[in-house]
Amino acid sequence: MGGLTAVTIDLLCVGAANLDVIAAVDRAPQPDQRVHARQIVHAGGGPAATAAVAAARQGITVGFCGRVGRDPQGEAIIEGLEAEGIDVSYMVRDREITSGSSVIVVDLTDAGRMICAGTAPAPDRIPAIGSWVHVDQVGHDSLTAEDRGRARISVDHGNPIPRLDLHGVDLYAPARPMLQAVRPGPLPDIARAAAAEGAAAVVVTDGSAGAWVLDSHDLRLVEGFHLDGPLSTLGAGDVFHGALLAGLIHELPLIEAVTRANACAALSCRGLDGRSTIPTATELDDFLRATDGTPAAPRSPSDQLQSKGRS
């Protein structure tokens, strides 16, 4: 583990940091089929790392703790986080592993994506810093009982977590399919079950519909924002988590923080990758002032990519 910084951070994100290769196609290929890629981009990815970028762009002081190899991919991952002002002194550089990477195909017919991910192992421990610690499916395995008592804990359950433990968790934010996979039943009941297992706050992401917030014993939908022709949904859930934590660290009420996170995630869908179009706090404020949340007349992602190429 790198040496600890003297700077106090608001949020430490722990888990996966990848280097992504993203191809945009008119339609996802079938087995043994070759298709033309409209565009191919290389970008940083990983749930916890992208959440860190989203939080940093909202004015939060962020650190990242993860494991990368001593290879060019690892250096690129670290440089990408540093460029966002994220403290990477908690990173582990491990010559025994290969850095995480993903190959992603974005289907421009519906902005959906297919992901083949190779993720590096979790760090051995989490530094005792940050008023909040946010973990994804990789970082979750690094949490100890001591960690759960010394910081506020946020868990992103957008990917499977085999040994999920909600004891001492302050914010549990599962994707609806993940929640329903581990706790079959009506959504209000399984959200309450998660709270009964130890989660102080439960926010269930539900794609473009928005997010469900467990308020006392009632489940309330905070509707999502609909933009003109989203290009890719890649990383939108990760962006949501980072923006939500930024709102809570700024001491916003939970519903207001979720509303801002929904808008931030929607705006991130303007780009092929999960990071390039994440808004700053000022851009997010401007968007929220300008919109009443009414969906714009949609255009296909393919049309949007063409118009980007002409601009």
Side-chain angles (χ1 to χ4, degrees):
M1 191 75 65
L4 297 185
T5 179
V7 177
T8 301
I9 63 174
D10 299 311
L11 171 65
L12 180 70
C13 293
V14 183
N18 294 347
L19 199 61
D20 294 342
V21 179
I22 307 154
V25 300
D26 288 324
R27 188 170 297 277
Q30 299 300 309
D32 297 322
Q33 181 185 18
R34 176 189 174 97
V35 298
H36 172 69
R38 292 279 200 97
Q39 188 175 343
I40 297 176
V41 300
H42 297 76
T50 299
V53 172
R57 292 195 186 176
Q58 300 309 302
I60 296 300
T61 305
V62 183
F64 184 79
C65 178
R67 192 185 298 268
V68 296
R70 289 188 177 272
D71 49 29
Q73 298 96 317
E75 291 306 311
I77 289 168
I78 291 172
E79 289 172 6
L81 295 172
E82 284 183 314
E84 298 289 344
I86 294 168
D87 186 343
V88 297
S89 64
Y90 313 101
M91 295 286 289
V92 178
R93 293 169 171 87
D94 186 343
R95 66 178 66 255
E96 301 298 322
I97 69 164
T98 300
S99 296
S101 59
S102 299
V103 176
I104 300 160
V105 176
V106 174
D107 188 332
L108 294 172
T109 59
D110 61 3
R113 68 272 194 266
M114 289 139 284
I115 303 173
C116 300
T119 303
D124 294 328
R125 65 181 182 88
I126 297 175
I129 44 81
S131 58
W132 278 88
V133 171
H134 174 68
V135 300
D136 59 14
Q137 77 280 2
V138 173
H140 177 271
D141 288 343
S142 301
L143 281 175
T144 65
E146 181 184 3
D147 294 328
R148 295 168 189 265
R150 68 186 180 179
R152 303 188 72 183
I153 303 297
S154 165
V155 176
D156 167 7
H157 190 188
N159 294 288
I161 302 177
R163 295 173 295 279
L164 179 65
D165 181 0
L166 297 181
H167 173 71
V169 169
D170 296 273
L171 174 63
Y172 174 51
R176 183 171 181 171
M178 287 293 105
L179 181 65
Q180 293 180 316
V182 297
R183 298 177 180 85
L187 186 59
D189 292 347
I190 57 181
R192 293 185 194 108
E197 290 179 19
V202 179
V203 177
V204 183
T205 61
D206 198 6
S208 62
W212 298 88
V213 178
L214 187 63
D215 185 6
S216 197
H217 286 287
D218 296 324
L219 198 64
R220 170 181 173 183
L221 177 65
V222 181
E223 293 187 4
F225 291 81
H226 300 269
L227 301 185
D228 183 9
L231 193 56
S232 169
T233 58
L234 178 65
D238 312 326
V239 171
F240 174 91
H241 295 295
L244 174 57
L245 286 164
L248 296 177
I249 290 167
H250 281 136
E251 299 185 347
L252 297 179
L254 180 58
I255 296 298
E256 184 178 349
V258 170
T259 299
R260 289 182 65 86
N262 279 342
C264 194
L267 289 168
S268 76
C269 296
R270 299 170 295 172
L272 270 183
D273 64 292
R275 295 187 188 173
S276 62
T277 57
I278 298 173
T280 64
T282 299
E283 291 168 340
L284 183 56
D285 289 339
D286 290 344
F287 173 78
L288 290 168
R289 280 193 293 266
T291 182
D292 60 2
T294 302
R299 287 188 298 157
S300 73
S302 179
D303 289 343
Q304 186 180 359
L305 189 58
Q306 281 186 326
S307 66
K308 282 177 177 287
R310 291 193 296 266
S311 60

